[in-house]
Amino acid sequence: MAKKTVQETPKTTTIRVDAGTHKRIVKLSEQTGRSIVDLAQDAVVMYERQLGRERAARQLIEMKKDPVAWQEFIDEIDAVTGGPIDD
């Protein structure tokens, strides 16, 4: 027998921001027609992505310091892409 699922109402909370930030997010909401909640959710997602890119960049910088590890990385990319790209 299939288990019945009950859809939960998403839990919400209040986020306090300064008046200037509130004014900016209200203006963005008016300009885009999107809710303040949607804009806040998007901002969190974009910030998480930015942090991920920054972490990846730091890892590449560290890897580049090790010639063997760097070459293995380049070889892996070449294997996936079908070889080096000529300029």
Side-chain angles (χ1 to χ4, degrees):
M1 183 175 221
K3 187 175 181 181
K4 222 177 187 184
T5 58
V6 177
Q7 194 171 18
E8 276 189 44
T9 304
K11 297 194 186 318
T12 62
T13 189
T14 300
I15 300 173
R16 295 191 184 278
V17 296
D18 61 75
T21 300
H22 182 261
K23 186 176 180 179
R24 290 166 56 202
I25 199 165
V26 167
K27 185 177 179 181
L28 283 170
S29 177
E30 291 168 352
Q31 289 173 340
T32 63
R34 301 190 67 228
S35 72
I36 290 174
V37 171
D38 287 342
L39 292 173
Q41 289 170 336
D42 288 350
V44 170
V45 168
M46 289 188 319
Y47 189 62
E48 288 171 333
R49 289 178 183 165
Q50 176 184 334
L51 292 175
R53 287 189 301 270
E54 290 171 1
R55 183 175 48 252
R58 284 191 306 274
Q59 290 170 338
L60 286 172
I61 290 167
E62 284 302 309
M63 186 187 311
K64 212 169 186 180
K65 292 177 184 178
D66 179 348
V68 174
W70 184 250
Q71 189 57 52
E72 288 174 356
F73 175 70
I74 296 300
D75 292 345
E76 244 181 83
I77 291 174
D78 289 346
V80 171
T81 62
I85 298 174
D86 296 326
D87 288 330

